[in-house]
Amino acid sequence: MRSAEWQARVECAGQVVGAGFLVTPRTVLTCAHVVHEGPAGALAVTFTERPGSAPVAARVVAEGGWGGGSTDLGDLAVLELAHAVDIAPAALAPVDTAYGRRPRKLVVYGFPAGFDEGTLAEYRVTAPQLLNREWMQLEAWQPDGQPLEPGFSGAAVTLVDTGEVVGMVTAAAGAQGVRNGRMMPTEVMARYWPGLAGLVPTSDHRTADRARLRELVERAVRAGLDCDPVRLYRAAAGPLDPEPPREGFDSLRSAALFVLCEIDGEDAAGTVARFTGHVEALFRAPAETPAAPRWSPILVDLRHSGAGDGEVRVEVSAYSGGRRHPVGSDTVPRSRLPAYVQDRIEAAFGYLTPGCDELIAFALPRDWIDLPVDRWASAPDDDTPLGCVHPVVVTDQARRRAGTRHQLTRAWNRLDSAPGAQLHRVECGTPEEPRRLRVRLRQSDACLAGFATAPAAPRTRAHFDTTLAAPAPLVVWSREGCDSGSEEPCAGGADCTGKTFLDQLDSCVSGVPPAELPRRILQLREEADAEDEHWARDIQLLWDDPRVFTDPHGETGAHVRSPVA
């Protein structure tokens, strides 16, 4: 058994009176009979496995109602330390692990006379039966082993193979030569002190999985690794797992305890595995060169409400760990639309996979595809455009049908090996027929369609519709375009703003892998926001990789019925 720093020696007025164990950074559990006679202000706790550490003052903050007799119930005291200690608390075992078909060796660490530094005793549980609904009987592992005697009261009873706590020593047999005793199991202790209930893991997690998670968490805490425990949990939680506490988690340890103690059932192992994986990822050193994005998207689905042009139907979802998390939905007046979306996007960040790249995608009706969503303010107190803070893309709702998603998935599987985004230019004065454009965009090397005009421009509207239906995986244009409202054809000469846009676009994206294009467009938007006359100021990116939206319900859209039906 490895050294357990959470083992505590309880002292009163400088004298050793018993043992205890740390269960939170400021809480030690012991027996009520160990501390009941001590004068106020005389209690202290020493963690002997940290040689040289000073005693920490303590006070009793809760008791189990013990009446003072050796057979009275509720022999539990909760001690609050004067300050938190930098020691990993004891790990508790599931309630059914103290006794097995083959006896399980248990170890007790106490402080009998002559052993102020502590000594060990080996025991086992005689039977799984509770005596008087309060105790389990302990018997010596070996006939000539260390007996339980004064100084062991309040000591944790631990599994020798895992170091997890299954109970607390409350009494010895008392008869000469009899090496029996009693322990109060953790489930009984939790009956007297509800704060313990949230520290006892369920039986649905394997021992190795519990040990691995606890080891990683302690390493992360010691290394001071920064993380958001709520995001870490939400990224790991399954669809039926509970929401995190309203107040959140005060530490990575508390989030791990929540996973071990509150998640049960068939999917418990999956949640623990995902959470453990996210904790493990905290240790990975950042690469020297930017890695390909691991997109964790927020989908903002905007639709005509059916209640008039002044109302918009909105649904916001977050995608992480292969699952869709609905965040909010409502019918919102257009005047309040940016503020509502802003608020729901902020909430959605709590569900994203830690360490992944956020991507904000707006699914829009075809007639709203030019909506300047990237120019909406990023926060109530920050008017920085959303598209200058996060990668922002749009997609066409008509392309969210299953057949189109299948074609796009096949195209993206091919594009994974593309060294850069090859631009197919749709010039202002293009002589290319829309039907020929469809054929061109269906070829294996097709990737990015760039438009010199906005989608609403009459002379290229058919080309734009054809591009979306092809379906082209990537489409880029400028919302200003080249005289996008004019019916007169443009020859696409040197003075054509659309040609300038395409020239600049080609030079900026030709070497960028398609999967990384949202991040490159973010950089261009940041540059454009800092200059008054920048060619990319009104750039719009339609980027549509179905593989990052892995929830099957998301493929047909989030809204399943009319809100005015």
Side-chain angles (χ1 to χ4, degrees):
M1 177 173 152
R2 293 171 294 177
S3 178
E5 294 183 333
W6 47 263
Q7 304 274 16
R9 185 177 68 201
V10 181
E11 302 157 6
C12 184
Q15 300 298 312
V16 177
V17 291
F21 55 101
L22 188 76
V23 292
T24 80
R26 286 194 66 180
T27 308
V28 168
L29 300 185
T30 187
C31 291
H33 79 256
V34 167
V35 297
H36 81 289
E37 291 183 347
L43 283 178
V45 168
T46 300
F47 296 96
T48 57
E49 290 302 295
R50 281 198 170 180
S53 62
V56 182
R59 65 188 183 98
V60 178
V61 293
E63 289 186 332
W66 179 66
S70 60
T71 59
D72 287 343
L73 307 181
D75 191 4
L76 173 72
V78 181
L79 308 185
E80 181 183 74
L81 303 181
H83 58 79
V85 292
D86 183 23
I87 294 174
L92 305 188
V95 297
D96 57 355
T97 53
Y99 183 86
R101 190 168 289 181
R102 296 180 61 184
R104 303 200 65 178
K105 183 183 287 189
L106 307 174
V107 174
V108 183
Y109 186 84
F111 303 91
F115 292 94
D116 285 355
E117 76 285 2
T119 190
L120 300 175
E122 296 178 334
Y123 276 77
R124 62 186 172 200
V125 170
T126 304
Q129 177 182 346
L130 278 179
L131 304 174
N132 204 15
R133 300 185 65 246
E134 183 85 357
W135 308 287
M136 297 182 85
Q137 180 170 302
L138 297 173
E139 61 182 35
W141 185 261
Q142 296 177 342
D144 56 350
Q146 167 68 47
L148 296 178
E149 54 189 21
F152 278 98
S153 293
V157 181
T158 62
L159 296 165
V160 71
D161 51 347
T162 68
E164 295 174 308
V165 176
V166 295
M168 178 182 72
V169 174
T170 58
Q176 184 69 29
V178 179
R179 284 174 164 78
N180 285 355
R182 290 177 177 176
M183 82 167 184
M184 183 185 292
T186 52
E187 71 264 33
V188 176
M189 297 169 70
R191 186 198 309 158
Y192 293 118
W193 184 55
L196 196 66
L199 305 177
V200 180
T202 73
S203 299
D204 297 283
H205 308 300
R206 295 187 310 163
T207 300
D209 295 339
R210 297 196 307 271
R212 176 62 176 159
L213 176 55
R214 284 165 171 155
E215 176 193 6
L216 285 171
V217 167
E218 293 309 320
R219 281 179 53 201
V221 171
R222 288 195 301 270
L225 299 182
D226 186 36
C227 71
D228 181 342
V230 172
R231 284 189 62 187
L232 217 63
Y233 170 73
R234 279 182 164 155
L240 300 180
D241 290 339
E243 282 290 302
R246 186 179 299 274
E247 67 277 11
F249 301 115
D250 60 6
S251 66
L252 181 58
R253 283 187 184 126
S254 64
L257 279 171
F258 189 86
V259 170
L260 293 176
C261 302
E262 302 296 334
I263 310 300
D264 54 14
E266 295 180 0
D267 297 330
T271 301
V272 169
R274 289 188 294 270
F275 190 86
T276 301
H278 293 325
V279 175
E280 196 167 22
L282 298 175
F283 294 93
R284 295 173 190 153
E288 294 183 3
T289 56
R294 295 186 300 144
W295 296 120
S296 189
I298 296 171
L299 178 65
V300 182
D301 195 309
L302 304 183
R303 295 180 181 244
H304 296 287
S305 69
D309 292 339
E311 302 284 329
V312 180
R313 184 66 182 162
V314 189
E315 179 159 321
V316 180
S317 305
Y319 289 78
S320 65
R323 297 179 304 283
R324 170 178 169 263
H325 303 273
V327 177
S329 62
D330 206 347
T331 299
V332 181
R334 291 200 69 157
S335 60
R336 289 184 46 235
L337 181 60
Y340 177 84
V341 169
Q342 180 187 88
D343 178 71
R344 294 296 85 200
I345 286 177
E346 181 62 28
F349 270 98
Y351 293 90
L352 297 192
T353 304
C356 288
D357 299 86
E358 79 277 8
L359 176 74
I360 300 177
F362 285 81
L364 306 171
R366 183 74 55 88
D367 56 336
W368 290 355
I369 203 69
D370 219 21
L371 200 65
V373 290
D374 61 290
R375 303 298 300 175
W376 291 357
S378 58
D381 56 352
D382 184 0
D383 61 0
T384 304
L386 185 66
C388 295
V389 178
H390 309 291
V392 175
V393 302
V394 300
T395 187
D396 177 28
Q397 284 173 346
R399 289 164 44 120
R400 299 191 65 76
R401 292 189 291 265
T404 306
R405 309 310 279 169
H406 179 80
Q407 295 179 66
L408 282 169
T409 299
R410 187 170 57 209
W412 276 99
N413 288 337
R414 184 182 71 246
L415 292 177
D416 282 342
S417 59
Q422 183 176 345
L423 179 67
H424 180 78
R425 302 167 65 111
V426 183
E427 307 275 3
C428 284
T430 180
E432 189 175 30
E433 289 290 328
R435 287 175 298 176
R436 290 187 176 275
L437 176 62
R438 176 185 289 109
V439 173
R440 175 69 189 90
L441 292 175
R442 285 183 175 272
Q443 294 177 3
S444 61
D445 61 341
C447 175
L448 170 64
F451 278 76
T453 64
R459 56 185 177 274
T460 54
R461 185 178 300 158
H463 293 77
F464 187 80
D465 290 343
T466 298
T467 299
L468 295 189
L474 301 158
V475 188
V476 178
W477 66 95
S478 169
R479 290 187 294 268
E480 287 299 313
C482 176
D483 299 326
S484 57
S486 172
E487 294 284 351
E488 295 297 323
C490 172
D495 59 346
C496 173
T497 56
K499 180 181 184 303
T500 301
F501 174 81
L502 292 179
D503 289 344
Q504 295 280 7
L505 179 67
D506 200 3
S507 66
C508 287
V509 305
S510 59
V512 179
E516 299 183 24
L517 202 56
R519 196 151 61 186
R520 180 66 180 118
I521 297 299
L522 167 63
Q523 295 170 348
L524 292 174
R525 285 170 173 155
E526 289 180 295
E527 295 172 9
D529 192 57
E531 300 179 24
D532 291 334
E533 300 293 334
H534 193 283
W535 66 272
R537 182 169 182 80
D538 291 293
I539 195 169
Q540 193 88 322
L541 170 63
L542 188 148
W543 185 95
D544 205 352
D545 183 353
R547 299 172 303 178
V548 304
F549 302 98
T550 49
D551 181 76
H553 302 295
E555 306 301 345
T556 55
H559 308 286
V560 296
R561 63 183 179 89
S562 167
V564 295

